[in-house]
Amino acid sequence: MAASIGVEQGAPAQADIVLRLDGITKRFGPLVANNAISFTLRRGEVIALLGENGAGKTTLMNILFGHYVADEGTVEAFGKPLPPGDPRAALDAGIGMVHQHFTLAENMTVLENIALGTQSPWSLRLDRAAARRRIEKLSADFGLTVHPDATVATLSVGERQRVEILKALYRDARILILDEPTAVLTPAETDALFRTLKLLVAQGLSIIFISHKLNEVMAVSDCVLVLRSGTLAGERTTATTNRAELAALMVGQEVSSPPVSAPRTGPVVFELKNVSTARQGTTTRLDGLSLALRAGEITGLAGVSGNGQSALASLISGTLQPASGEMVIGGSAAGNWSPRAALASGIGRIPEDRHAVGTIGDMSITENVISERYATPRFSRHGFLDWKAARAFAEEIIRDYDVKAPSPEARIRLLSGGNMQKLILGRALDSEPAVILANQPTRGLDVGAVAFVHRRLLEARDRGAAILLISEDLEEILALSDRILVMSKGQLSSPSKRGERSIRELGELMAGHGEVNDAA
Amino acid sequence: MEQALEILFTASFWVAAIRIASPLIFATMGELICERAGVLNLGIEGIMTAGAFAGWFTVYSGGDLWTGVAVAALAGAMFGLLHATLTVPLGLSQHVVGIGVTLLATSLTYFTYRLALPQVTTPPKIEPFQPLPIPGLSKIPVLGEALFTQTPLTYLAFVTVAVVAWMLYRTPIGLAVRAAGENPSAVEAQGISVTGLRMGAVMVGSALMAVGGAFLTMSAFNSFFFEMINGRGWICIALVVFGSWRPGKALLGAILFAAFDAYQIRLQQISGGVVPYQVFLMMPYALSILALILVARRATYPKALMIPYQKGER
């Protein structure tokens, strides 16, 4: 691709090209993960690699970094061919990669993680002093504050990412690959990361930024490569494109937010009256919280995470018991509260962390979809599981919810995030629950999957479900909610109707300014 | 009762404790290295048996004592290679492979013994390592006698602890070994081969286990007989946990266990047959379990222990 455009416009000087991928093809069995992909990266350039989950972005970068071996094609770094399948060669060529799932040893210190593999394995002494000096200099130069002697386990996600970037810089990386770097970051941490990236580019580093978030791609990149099902669907200069065009390239069609009809609000079906919970670890507890959810209405709960959302979600899903106060479901007080009781009282649950809580990664799709209701007569008889019914149910969800899965027997951890979420959605919505708890239902999903989840939630609303949507994504809250509440320091704001409060007003409430009303 | 306490202040008790601890120290360090790299080596019991025989048989056949130690280490490393090949590149269950290696090494040793000495009923003795008092230090009352009138192999055991501790915490390779046991993908991402590291660690660890076994034939019992390892390998597995995977604490654990053992032998002698002797035999194990409960509850084990690493797998 001769069309890549760097920071400095003008004739592309050959010497400026730091990386050249030529005709990279990678197959996993029948699946073509990358199909003849070629591009070049120039000095001081930020290329964004945009694409939905499963479009082949990570595979491509893993080939570049030597974790995978391409079936066809070559990689050239600084004019020299890179031997395939050798991370060491990639590191030596000045390519550094910040993986989506960090590769840090948690029980070890920052310094140890960074120095790992940088000194001769046969030397009898690890030179900690030299490593510390270098780390401190790099931290200062690029605004990557982190204490060299801190144990990684004690660091926040943002700090861990800084350690990963330091690891690459410590080895004199000239090309930095960032795989979905913002997926785990708070907005403030994302801003800090972007500032660091600017400093790095100013030093002449080149960056490949993998993302499926359009606004971030627009903010940081010089040039955007769009991948769709393993092929390069388009290449655009950031300055001359727009989000709509990129979104269309990504999914292959125009995406539109689902139309929202006026709600047909029914009676209150779920109510918390002055409920308090015991403190769990460091999470914010609920203290005298009241909340009512009405049938046929989506209640959006906005707020910065860590303000009591997880306690509220645990309470509704049954994993946390109220310490005081009353919980009324469908007109009657909830008795002994447990996950089983929550399911029995018709609460559908879409948990925040689909890997840790929503699914059991090494069990099959079938086992996962019946996990909430395996003991019901539908799936078991006389204490024996009815695998035929279970499998039929799994196939039904796979079909109805458009899940891309090899078979109902596939281990669920092999699915992409979007497909996993669709299964969880199917599992939760199938029994037509009266109350639905959707906690961060679209976190980490691509545009197509987000639209799918939104449409299903609106359908559930229209059939009369009461939905509590907890999300950190304010745009999502604004798009779906009939009524918006803001949670701050364990307290709820007064409710506002659709369009009643501006983003600025909501933002102020999220920051903890303004009135609170505990009778929401 | 007074007699029972007096034992603790006799030099001979502590000399015995340190002697009993020596094979445990070698084998515990061996197991610790394997586990720090992420591989549980349950082959330990069999590897110790093989080492005990290999060392003894070398000397019996005319080799000198240090050659015997080297041959034992080599035999251990070979069984380590077998264990590592099955568990690391092939990623088989470490429990199953470990038990398999123990059974194989033990029976192969007995078989070789029977082939080499078909007619023998009483196991022949060899000339073992002799105590080597360190001038000056051995004159310190009780402590000096306990620590510095031992055989060279016991001194080597203590040196091994220092070397292992230095290696793990002060050298680049030790850092890589620890990282391989914590998060192998971190090692891979830094351009180091996890497979190479883990195989190396298991081989070195197994060599140490075999030297631990050889201590028994070359520095304690002077001959080889069946069942002589007698569960010491399993104790070392527990000692690694007791020591929270740290060499220094594991050393203390080994000495503590050995002291229990030396103590119960002496208690048996003064109890006069009132209490059945099995109770005393049981004592070190019961106390070890108690100590494990107290000490190891909050131990932070290597995160990737027992998890096979396959390159490029999600």
Side-chain angles (χ1 to χ4, degrees):
Chain A
M1 293 278 158
S4 64
I5 300 211
V7 175
E8 309 132 64
Q9 300 276 336
Q14 202 63 23
D16 267 0
I17 292 175
V18 294
L19 185 72
R20 185 195 299 277
L21 271 72
D22 195 16
I24 297 287
T25 298
K26 173 75 183 173
R27 299 180 197 91
F28 291 109
L31 176 81
V32 183
N34 289 147
N35 188 4
I37 292 174
S38 307
F39 70 87
T40 56
L41 175 70
R42 296 172 54 206
R43 188 169 185 279
E45 183 183 36
V46 181
I47 284 189
L49 201 55
L50 181 69
E52 300 198 86
N53 293 321
K57 308 180 297 265
T58 301
T59 303
L60 186 62
M61 290 305 110
N62 277 330
I63 289 169
L64 178 52
F65 194 67
H67 286 314
Y68 297 159
V69 179
D71 296 320
E72 287 161 37
T74 54
V75 180
E76 223 176 70
F78 299 96
K80 293 194 197 75
L82 204 60
D86 186 0
R88 177 121 231 156
L91 286 167
D92 290 345
I95 300 174
M97 180 152 176
V98 176
H99 293 79
Q100 186 176 2
H101 304 290
F102 299 148
T103 54
L104 297 172
E106 295 204 352
N107 278 351
M108 293 168 45
T109 66
V110 168
L111 184 144
E112 289 174 332
N113 268 286
I114 295 174
L116 177 63
T118 59
Q119 298 181 15
S120 160
W122 305 120
S123 96
L124 291 176
R125 197 182 158 76
L126 180 70
D127 192 346
R128 285 173 189 265
R132 176 172 292 111
R133 277 195 301 276
R134 191 161 157 71
I135 292 169
E136 278 166 357
K137 176 159 192 327
L138 288 168
S139 311
D141 286 356
F142 295 107
L144 293 160
T145 332
V146 60
H147 197 288
D149 295 321
T151 307
V152 169
T154 64
L155 301 184
S156 73
V157 175
E159 287 172 310
R160 289 179 199 208
Q161 187 174 65
R162 277 178 243 156
V163 177
E164 285 281 4
I165 296 174
L166 280 171
K167 257 165 77 177
L169 299 178
Y170 190 91
R171 286 173 170 267
D172 293 316
R174 304 301 298 157
I175 301 169
L176 195 59
I177 306 168
L178 298 150
D179 190 1
E180 303 273 3
T182 61
V184 289
L185 300 187
T186 63
E189 286 171 332
T190 303
D191 289 343
L193 171 68
F194 288 177
R195 278 197 299 278
T196 299
L197 295 187
K198 288 214 165 66
L199 288 172
L200 294 173
V201 170
Q203 298 278 322
L205 266 81
S206 308
I207 292 172
I208 300 179
F209 184 92
I210 303 176
S211 183
H212 60 249
K213 293 186 186 165
L214 293 166
N215 52 346
E216 288 172 0
V217 165
M218 295 298 292
V220 297
S221 68
D222 302 310
C223 164
V224 186
L225 302 173
V226 184
L227 279 183
R228 188 171 72 230
S229 358
T231 50
L232 203 55
E235 182 170 15
R236 297 286 182 276
T237 305
T238 311
T240 60
T241 186
N242 57 51
R243 293 175 56 160
E245 186 187 18
L246 292 177
L249 278 172
M250 234 167 110
V251 296
Q253 76 229 9
E254 293 283 336
V255 235
S256 55
S257 0
V260 180
S261 55
R264 293 191 306 274
T265 310
V268 171
V269 290
F270 180 93
E271 195 171 8
L272 297 176
K273 291 180 183 166
N274 210 19
V275 168
S276 300
T277 61
R279 190 175 299 281
Q280 295 215 305
T282 57
T283 57
T284 308
R285 71 188 196 98
L286 305 181
D287 188 11
L289 183 113
S290 297
L291 168 74
L293 302 177
R294 290 175 176 281
E297 184 180 65
I298 296 184
T299 304
L301 189 70
V304 180
S305 76
N307 273 291
Q309 291 97 326
S310 57
L312 179 61
S314 304
L315 179 72
I316 297 176
S317 52
T319 53
L320 180 65
Q321 285 73 39
S324 68
E326 203 185 349
M327 183 150 49
V328 183
I329 304 167
S332 52
N336 274 341
W337 195 234
S338 68
R340 184 175 288 231
L343 285 169
S345 14
I347 293 178
R349 310 173 300 172
I350 300 164
E352 176 177 16
D353 188 337
R354 54 183 157 269
H355 299 279
V357 184
T359 58
I360 304 168
D362 278 315
M363 290 178 78
S364 72
I365 291 174
T366 307
E367 287 164 326
N368 271 286
V369 294
I370 65 165
S371 61
E372 288 191 333
R373 276 178 295 151
Y374 61 88
T376 59
R378 180 170 174 190
F379 299 118
S380 71
R381 193 167 301 167
H382 313 303
F384 290 96
L385 283 172
D386 182 351
W387 284 111
K388 229 165 134 183
R391 195 188 155 101
F393 180 49
E395 281 168 348
E396 184 188 315
I397 290 182
I398 289 173
R399 190 180 59 243
D400 293 354
Y401 287 81
D402 189 27
V403 180
K404 289 191 186 62
S407 85
E409 275 76 46
R411 282 180 299 166
I412 204 162
R413 75 180 178 94
L414 298 174
L415 301 188
S416 73
N419 285 313
M420 208 185 271
Q421 192 70 340
K422 284 175 180 175
L423 278 172
I424 292 173
L425 198 65
R427 180 177 70 189
L429 298 187
D430 173 77
S431 56
E432 305 210 330
V435 180
I436 296 168
L437 169 72
N439 194 359
Q440 314 288 357
T442 60
R443 180 184 277 174
L445 302 191
D446 56 58
V447 186
V450 168
F452 184 91
V453 171
H454 286 177
R455 207 164 52 241
R456 291 293 180 150
L457 286 176
L458 285 168
E459 277 170 24
R461 178 196 80 161
D462 290 341
R463 75 160 166 77
I467 300 177
L468 180 66
L469 170 70
I470 303 178
S471 179
E472 279 175 70
D473 182 351
L474 207 48
E475 284 183 35
E476 175 171 70
I477 294 273
L478 290 170
L480 294 183
S481 312
D482 302 310
R483 200 171 67 116
I484 299 175
L485 299 166
V486 179
M487 194 164 205
S488 168
K489 297 182 186 126
Q491 301 287 318
L492 292 176
S493 71
S494 62
S496 58
K497 289 255 171 325
R498 184 182 290 275
E500 199 178 310
R501 280 196 181 112
S502 70
I503 291 188
R504 213 178 60 85
E505 284 172 308
L506 290 171
E508 280 184 3
L509 287 173
M510 283 164 72
H513 310 304
E515 45 75 272
V516 278
N517 182 340
D518 49 14
Chain B
M1 195 60 217
E2 257 172 56
Q3 267 180 309
L5 277 175
E6 271 169 22
I7 293 173
L8 293 176
F9 299 102
T10 60
S12 74
F13 162 71
W14 286 106
V15 171
I18 297 295
R19 189 181 61 241
I20 295 169
S22 301
L24 301 178
I25 294 171
F26 278 117
T28 303
M29 289 305 124
E31 183 66 34
L32 190 140
I33 292 173
C34 297
E35 294 193 17
R36 266 306 176 101
V39 181
L40 176 73
N41 191 343
L42 292 182
I44 185 169
E45 184 84 4
I47 292 170
M48 287 179 80
T49 309
F53 174 76
W56 170 81
F57 191 67
T58 305
V59 177
Y60 177 74
S61 317
D64 77 29
L65 286 163
W66 289 108
T67 312
V69 173
V71 170
L74 188 70
M78 287 303 111
F79 280 109
L81 178 63
L82 172 69
H83 186 288
T85 309
L86 295 174
T87 53
V88 181
L90 297 179
L92 302 183
S93 156
Q94 295 178 6
H95 289 108
V96 175
V97 169
I99 291 168
V101 167
T102 281
L103 293 175
L104 176 72
T106 307
S107 9
L108 211 57
T109 301
Y110 294 170
F111 180 63
T112 313
Y113 178 86
R114 272 286 163 244
L115 280 186
L117 304 150
Q119 307 295 322
V120 180
T121 45
T122 318
K125 295 221 179 247
I126 56 164
E127 192 59 38
F129 280 105
Q130 297 301 320
L132 180 72
I134 308 283
L137 293 171
S138 57
K139 295 288 179 285
I140 304 167
V142 187
L143 191 72
E145 269 183 77
L147 289 173
F148 299 110
T149 62
Q150 302 282 355
T151 65
L153 270 189
T154 296
Y155 302 138
L156 183 65
F158 281 85
V159 171
T160 302
V161 177
V163 169
V164 169
W166 177 274
M167 193 273 300
L168 280 178
Y169 291 100
R170 300 294 174 92
T171 67
I173 191 125
L175 179 61
V177 166
R178 284 189 290 138
E182 288 292 330
N183 184 356
S185 49
V187 176
E188 190 77 46
Q190 293 285 61
I192 308 170
S193 158
V194 176
T195 309
L197 263 181
R198 285 188 165 178
M199 290 189 71
V202 173
M203 287 179 70
V204 169
S206 300
L208 283 178
M209 295 169 190
V211 173
F215 181 95
L216 293 174
T217 49
M218 301 171 72
S219 209
F221 298 108
N222 312 341
S223 70
F224 177 83
F225 44 91
F226 293 172
E227 310 292 346
M228 74 183 305
I229 303 300
N230 196 19
R232 284 183 176 82
W234 310 134
I235 286 295
C236 294
I237 305 255
L239 285 174
V240 172
V241 182
F242 177 87
S244 310
W245 289 269
R246 289 173 172 276
K249 281 178 77 180
L251 169 69
L252 284 182
I255 293 174
L256 194 66
F257 177 82
F260 287 153
D261 205 14
Y263 193 56
Q264 64 88 7
I265 296 169
R266 283 158 180 74
L267 267 188
Q268 275 188 58
Q269 287 157 2
I270 60 167
S271 78
V274 185
V275 186
Y277 75 94
Q278 286 91 343
V279 172
F280 295 103
L281 283 180
M282 187 186 71
M283 202 179 74
Y285 300 96
L287 288 174
S288 301
I289 291 172
L290 191 71
L292 261 180
I293 293 169
L294 294 175
V295 175
R297 255 186 324 170
R298 300 175 65 88
T300 49
Y301 60 94
K303 288 267 156 42
L305 181 61
M306 291 187 279
I307 303 171
Y309 179 74
Q310 301 284 314
K311 192 180 167 186
E313 197 186 60
R314 277 201 284 183

